[in-house]
Amino acid sequence: MVDFNLSGYNSEPFTLVGIPGLEKFHVWIGIPFCGIYLMTAVGNCVLLYLIAVEHSLHEPMFFFLSMLAATDLVLATAGVPNTLSIFWFGAHEITFPGCLTQMFFLPYSFVLDSAILMTMAFDRYVAICSPLRYTTILTPKTIIKIAVGISFRSFCIILPVVFLLTRLPFCRTHIIPHTYCEHIGVARLACADISINIWYGFCVPIMTVISDVILIAVSYALILCAVFSLPSRDARQKALGTCGSHVCVILMFYIPAFFSILAHRFGHNVPRTFHIMFANLYVIPPALNPIVYGVKTKQIRDKVILLFSTKATE
């Protein structure tokens, strides 16, 4: 059935408009996109390199951090290069299989990122609230199970989206007023009933992410309770500073996604240009994560300074 759809109704390519109404500014809008993408690539690659080569960083927290860095690279690479090709080279066409591929990896990376943030919050909860049991709770076997579990969960949540779209006939316009292929945005172009797409695309991913957010909030609430019971004022300030930075990145990660999902379902009066610009803020957290979770972590900060000071003296 998938082969029939791909070769029948859905054989024609789609056209990604970019940001409707701002076409004449596309070249200039692409510059910050490119800068953010380069920051994402360099920051996360340095982070992955340091965690791989430094044995002192082979701990549960840094394993989850490396997962976050790898997923951020996939999240940014799934969308930004294609967006830049639209802005700078006018490459507006994308094949249906290419659209499906983008539609899988963007939300898959987002849902996996959400699960990793939840796991990292749990890791910090155990480290601060039950430090003596940390190594017995987060054993290598447990860490592998968690990594496989959250990856498989994300796969199972997003894969149905691909099949829900392949069943649809696109016999009208193939013009997508966006910078990337978005599930509901593409589904609305079909000349068939898309109720299942709307409800699955709205309910399942958002309920999954909401459950992650609730667990993250509970973890940080318990962490804060433990922090305020610390006798040292410096220790409290240090812990609060770290938690505050983490919360800022978490908010920057979730707010654009929630807005995009809710705007598709309920925000019929939201200006399209504003909606698309806001939806593209997904590129910012992958660039900030290496700074917040890397540079602000003393072990990694020391290794980064050592790495670049060694390069400078060679």
Side-chain angles (χ1 to χ4, degrees), residues 241-252:
T242 303
C243 288
S245 301
H246 292 187
V247 169
C248 287
V249 170
I250 287 168
L251 291 175
M252 281 299 298

Side-chain angles (χ1 to χ4, degrees), residues 260-293:
S260 181
I261 294 170
L262 292 171
H264 262 309
R265 186 68 185 91
F266 303 110
H268 303 295
N269 296 323
V270 177
R272 180 177 290 174
T273 300
F274 180 76
H275 166 71
I276 294 171
M277 288 290 289
F278 211 82
N280 277 284
L281 292 182
Y282 77 90
V283 302
I284 295 177
L288 294 179
N289 286 342
I291 298 171
V292 175
Y293 291 108

